[in-house]
Amino acid sequence: MPLFHYRALNPKGQYQEGDWFGASKRHLYHLLKRQNLKLLACKTIKKEGWKAFLSGRISPDDLIEFCLHLAQMDAVKITLSEAILLFAQNHTKRAFKSILYTISDMLQQGFLLSQACRLYPTAFDPIVVESITLAEKTGKFGETFQQLESYLIHKKHQQQKLKQSLRYPLILLVVMLLLMGIMVGVFVPHLQTHLNDINPGIPSIALKTLISSVTFLEFYGSYIMACVVLCIAGYYGLYQFFSFFRVFNDWLVLKIPFIGNFKKSLLMNNFMHTLSLLLNAHIHLLPSLEKAIVTVPNHYIQRQLTRVYEDIQTGSQLSQALKSYDLVSPLLFRLIQLGEETGNLAVLVQQAAACDLEKTWKKIRSLLAWIEPILIIMMGCIMVWVVTATVIPLYSSLAEFER
């Protein structure tokens, strides 16, 4: 839906301006009319490029702040519509602010908060909406928003850890590729011509390999790039339109040495945290599983978890079903089994996820500790190869020329 900026006149003759998310200007006109406001001007906010992307994003920090605010407002017995309106008035991001104004207005008209949030799936994911739905049934809004805040903070910290862990290796990799591109595309061709003019003799093995590589890229580089672009386009088309390919691709990713195991562990950990949040909200196991499965961003694991769901429907235990499809580690299996035996499944699932996450992060840090020096050694080898092939022959040729 587009974002509108409007200017209206109130009964006292004062001007009011604001932003609103909606289907059309007609809906905005009727909305303002119910508030005794006369619409004077309205325009669609159009932004281009990266600014449009950033202005429309609802960040995790926004949602965390939103949940914290509602939990605090519930503690002092302020109504939901008034609490959301207060938060919107003090918020700075236009996209989220306009959504909150619309939600507050819907609540005043008699809609439920979950119904209003469900209209904005880009801002509120299914887990948030489901938790709010349960809070509306139980009346425990403060407790629910505190749990949602903890869930969103955990999710945010995990993403931040992953970014921080990958940042340095990715920087090294980009620098290495840029170095190779500059040397092969700019420096080496000019140096080759210069060496041939000064010393047309037989080049060294290092220089031969470097010249062969540059020549190959000059003749076939455009074809290679075209093939890469076509492969990416074909892959995107297959992934978008064929469900079997999405499942196969996600299964293939999980089979990559080291990376696949880490990805599987992180995905299952997120699934366990989501499941524990729903169970702590007193949602039954099967509905909790159904909602948590949807949040897993891997189609192969989603299919496996769907089979787990079907096995539980036929009478299997959660721990046995997860173990039969090789989805959990022995530690997770034992803790989940203990939760089933003691009737305290929600707490033990959360503890199991926390223990498994710490174990996974230790393995990731250990792997990255090896990757970083390997990339540095690779950069050093490339530099030695280039220096051996170009700089040393150049100095030798200049020394002979001086004689």
Side-chain angles (χ1 to χ4, degrees):
M1 289 188 292
L3 176 63
F4 295 99
H5 181 75
Y6 66 87
R7 191 181 190 198
L9 189 69
N10 65 17
K12 297 180 180 179
Q14 298 172 336
Y15 294 109
Q16 291 187 8
E17 294 187 4
D19 299 321
W20 178 75
F21 260 120
S24 66
K25 294 180 181 179
R26 184 180 177 184
H27 286 81
L28 174 60
Y29 170 79
H30 289 295
L31 173 68
L32 295 176
K33 189 176 180 181
R34 288 195 299 268
Q35 298 175 4
N36 294 324
L37 296 174
K38 182 179 179 181
L39 180 63
L40 300 177
C42 173
K43 65 177 181 179
T44 305
I45 297 174
K46 295 182 179 179
K47 294 181 179 291
E48 297 179 356
W50 61 271
K51 289 184 179 180
F53 175 74
L54 291 179
S55 65
R57 274 185 79 188
I58 309 300
S59 69
D61 289 330
D62 294 333
L63 288 178
I64 291 170
E65 188 180 353
F66 175 70
C67 292
L68 176 62
H69 173 81
L70 290 187
Q72 292 173 343
M73 293 298 100
D74 181 75
V76 294
K77 307 302 180 184
I78 293 179
T79 62
L80 276 175
S81 60
E82 185 180 356
I84 292 173
L85 186 61
L86 288 171
F87 183 81
Q89 290 171 348
N90 293 287
H91 200 64
T92 56
K93 294 185 180 178
R94 298 179 73 169
F96 196 35
K97 188 172 186 175
S98 58
I99 290 174
L100 294 175
Y101 274 126
T102 306
I103 291 175
S104 177
D105 181 69
M106 291 180 68
L107 291 178
Q108 291 174 5
Q109 295 177 41
F111 288 90
L112 295 175
L113 179 59
S114 58
Q115 293 173 335
C117 292
R118 196 172 279 112
L119 297 176
Y120 302 97
T122 56
F124 305 99
D125 62 42
I127 300 303
V128 175
V129 175
E130 189 64 28
S131 299
I132 292 173
T133 303
L134 184 70
E136 290 167 344
K137 294 177 181 177
T138 60
K140 298 179 179 179
F141 283 100
E143 181 182 342
T144 298
F145 284 117
Q146 286 176 356
Q147 291 176 356
L148 282 174
E149 181 194 1
S150 301
Y151 167 75
L152 293 170
I153 288 174
H154 164 78
K155 197 173 178 181
K156 175 191 169 186
H157 286 171
Q158 189 166 329
Q159 292 174 350
Q160 286 179 339
K161 276 186 178 181
L162 189 60
K163 289 178 182 178
Q164 291 172 357
S165 301
L166 296 176
R167 186 179 299 152
Y168 185 59
L170 287 176
I171 290 173
L172 284 178
L173 185 61
V174 170
V175 169
M176 185 174 67
L177 293 175
L178 285 175
L179 179 64
M180 290 179 63
I182 293 171
M183 295 297 292
V184 172
V186 179
F187 179 67
V188 174
H190 292 287
L191 189 60
Q192 176 188 352
T193 305
H194 185 67
L195 287 173
N196 289 335
D197 293 338
I198 295 177
N199 185 10
I202 300 174
S204 63
I205 295 176
L207 184 57
K208 279 184 179 180
T209 56
L210 190 59
I211 291 173
S212 299
S213 302
V214 173
T215 305
F216 177 81
L217 290 175
E218 285 179 350
F219 281 101
Y220 300 104
S222 58
Y223 297 105
I224 293 172
M225 289 298 296
C227 289
V228 170
V229 171
L230 287 174
C231 288
I232 292 174
Y235 165 81
Y236 180 79
L238 290 171
Y239 194 87
Q240 289 294 320
F241 298 108
F242 297 98
S243 59
F244 74 90
F245 183 79
R246 289 195 289 268
V247 175
F248 172 75
N249 175 78
D250 291 344
W251 170 81
L252 200 61
V253 169
L254 296 178
K255 294 300 178 182
I256 299 174
F258 299 110
I259 296 175
N261 288 332
F262 293 142
K263 186 174 180 62
K264 180 181 175 182
S265 297
L266 292 175
L267 289 172
M268 287 303 301
N269 189 271
N270 282 332
F271 168 76
M272 289 297 174
H273 269 284
T274 305
L275 181 62
S276 67
L277 171 71
L278 296 172
L279 291 173
N280 278 320
H282 307 292
I283 300 175
H284 294 298
L285 178 59
L286 285 174
S288 298
L289 274 172
E290 188 177 6
K291 297 294 182 182
I293 288 171
V294 179
T295 65
V296 178
N298 184 287
H299 295 86
Y300 175 75
I301 291 183
Q302 273 192 8
R303 176 173 290 189
Q304 297 295 89
L305 289 171
T306 302
R307 291 172 180 168
V308 168
Y309 176 84
E310 292 170 353
D311 289 351
I312 294 174
Q313 281 183 316
T314 59
S316 298
Q317 294 290 327
L318 175 63
S319 56
Q320 293 295 336
L322 289 171
K323 185 180 180 182
S324 63
Y325 293 103
D326 193 26
L327 291 173
V328 293
S329 64
L331 174 62
L332 273 172
F333 166 73
R334 181 57 190 141
L335 287 174
I336 294 172
Q337 189 180 50
L338 187 61
E340 291 169 337
E341 293 171 357
T342 59
N344 201 15
L345 184 60
V347 175
L348 284 170
V349 165
Q350 188 173 5
Q351 290 179 356
C355 293
D356 191 67
L357 180 63
E358 187 60 32
K359 185 179 178 182
T360 302
W361 279 118
K362 285 182 180 179
K363 290 181 179 178
I364 290 175
R365 285 192 290 265
S366 177
L367 178 63
L368 292 174
W370 281 99
I371 289 177
E372 293 171 7
I374 288 172
L375 288 175
I376 294 173
I377 291 171
M378 288 175 65
M379 289 179 63
C381 291
I382 293 170
M383 290 301 298
V384 169
W385 176 40
V386 173
V387 168
T388 305
T390 57
V391 179
I392 293 176
L394 179 63
Y395 275 108
S396 301
S397 300
L398 290 174
E400 291 180 3
F401 182 73
E402 289 177 356
R403 293 174 188 172

